[in-house]
Amino acid sequence: MPLDASLTFLGAAGQVTGSCYLLEWNEQKVLLDCGMVQGGDQITDLHRFRFQFRPKDIDAVILSHAHIDHSGLLTLLLAHGFRGQIYCTEGTANLLPVLLKDAVHLYLKDLEWQNRQRARLGKPEQEPRMTLKDVEGVIRCLKPISYQQQKDVLPGLTLEFLDAGHILGSAIVQLWLKHGQAMRKLVFSGDLGNPATVLMHDPSIVKQADVVLMESTYGDRDHQPLSNTLEEFANALAEADKAGGNVFIPAFALGRSQEILYYLGVLYHQGRLRQKMVVLDSPMAIEITRIYNEMIDEFDKKDTQVFKKYGAHDLQSFLPILHLTEKVEQSMALNRVTQGAIIIAGSGMCNGGRIAHHLKHNLWKNANHIIFVGFQAKGTLGRKLVDGESRVKVMGQPLVVKATIHTIGGFSAHAGQSQLINWAKAIGGQPQFYLVHGEPQAQLVLQEKLQQRGLKVDIASMGQKIQL
């Protein structure tokens, strides 16, 4: 009897956010990822959002990694009746509660503010679509599996995770679908890591596949060499030291903050870090850093072996001048520090959080330097500063921009074009590729490059259903 199986692209098709794919076979339904679409008005988008299936009909979820654009709708899935199991790696199971609690907390806070505005206009309040109880429900559903451990998760479905090298716990998903004598192997790349990224292993090689869902975020370009990026970063810090003020780095709590702490530790031990203190001023980044420290043995030994050379055992002990400010009062006290500090604070795009308060107090002082180490989306305060606007509003207050702005564009946890091509070429079995998680221009360029190498490649479209 032939295998009757299909896959529907419900997210991250023609865009780089909202990863979600519905796998159906033998009257069973499994989701690959359940991610939130980011970049718009979260309240409006969430309250308009409707799943294109009944959540209670989903038998299981298989999660590639913890980033919100891959996991953020799990709480909504629980709120609407899902009661299956969520399979992920051990690293993802440790990180996910931190990220989901933070996302739901921010959602409820924004909803409360909007409801106050609605009340003033005589409009009825909006009920929350998800709560922290739903996060607890997600946590109870988590079923961690180690890398390279095959597990039968449903009748006729075997799962194995390989290391994707993107963030702690990120996985390439390998699935074997069986029905009688028929079998097909489906591979979902998740987000493939940049081999140059510190602490992460290189993405694992897949030996064989029939169908591959492959990310294409940087399908149209390669990253500059990491050595160039680090020199650029070190020079920006040296320039800031000469100016006599402080350095402010908007923090992406998961992955980028830990990477920056590592490089600051390297510069410190090389005698190239002139600042007297580094402050991690983000409760979420602090919690994630502790998880990284607890799981330090999971990371690439060629990066962590430098710890032993200096008598350190984790990221925190590797940077002796690091201070953690969890309490609001500690964060506010930083306003009294006028020079010699590097302050890493959330959010990464400056659209809220503690970095907004720091910018309010420091953006108009020409001795200060702001260093951006991650992508800034259109419409965010971070993007306005990167684009060189001389006057901005911070927390509703107009400010002149006199601080020096640096943009370090070479840090990326995603594979570049050449790395994507090499990963795809290594897969045996003449698989059919479907490009996901990428903007159309990047996907068209990558498709052409892969086809030139004899691979069968299509670009997935939203709502498209394919037979496996």
Side-chain angles (χ1 to χ4, degrees), residues 288-338:
I288 289 170
T289 301
R290 286 182 177 138
I291 294 171
Y292 267 60
N293 288 338
E294 289 165 5
M295 301 189 70
I296 206 73
D297 291 340
E298 300 289 320
F299 296 108
D300 195 330
K301 296 294 187 291
K302 73 176 185 294
D303 294 324
T304 58
Q305 67 184 4
V306 72
F307 293 168
K308 296 177 183 177
K309 181 179 177 182
Y310 297 105
H313 57 274
D314 59 18
L315 284 167
Q316 193 166 347
S317 56
F318 185 50
L319 185 56
I321 60 172
L322 176 63
H323 301 263
L324 308 178
T325 55
E326 296 187 72
K327 296 179 181 178
V328 173
E329 296 80 12
Q330 294 173 307
S331 179
M332 292 172 67
L334 295 174
N335 291 324
R336 297 195 292 271
V337 179
T338 58

Side-chain angles (χ1 to χ4, degrees), residues 347-412:
S347 68
M349 296 187 192
C350 305
N351 52 346
R354 294 182 179 182
I355 192 67
H357 290 272
H358 291 309
L359 293 179
K360 178 182 173 183
H361 289 279
N362 293 280
L363 194 58
W364 45 273
K365 300 175 183 177
N366 55 19
N368 292 323
H369 287 240
I370 319 296
I371 302 180
F372 288 96
V373 295
F375 177 74
Q376 303 299 308
K378 288 182 180 178
T380 63
L381 173 59
R383 182 60 172 266
K384 291 175 182 177
L385 292 172
V386 165
D387 286 345
E389 292 194 18
S390 59
R391 294 182 181 273
V392 295
K393 274 191 175 183
V394 181
M395 303 177 69
Q397 182 175 337
L399 294 176
V400 63
V401 180
K402 289 192 175 180
T404 302
I405 309 297
H406 304 265
T407 304
I408 313 293
F411 294 112
S412 178

Side-chain angles (χ1 to χ4, degrees), residues 142-153:
L142 295 178
K143 297 294 177 186
I145 302 175
S146 300
Y147 289 123
Q148 298 178 321
Q149 176 188 329
Q150 291 193 11
K151 183 174 180 62
D152 295 327
V153 296

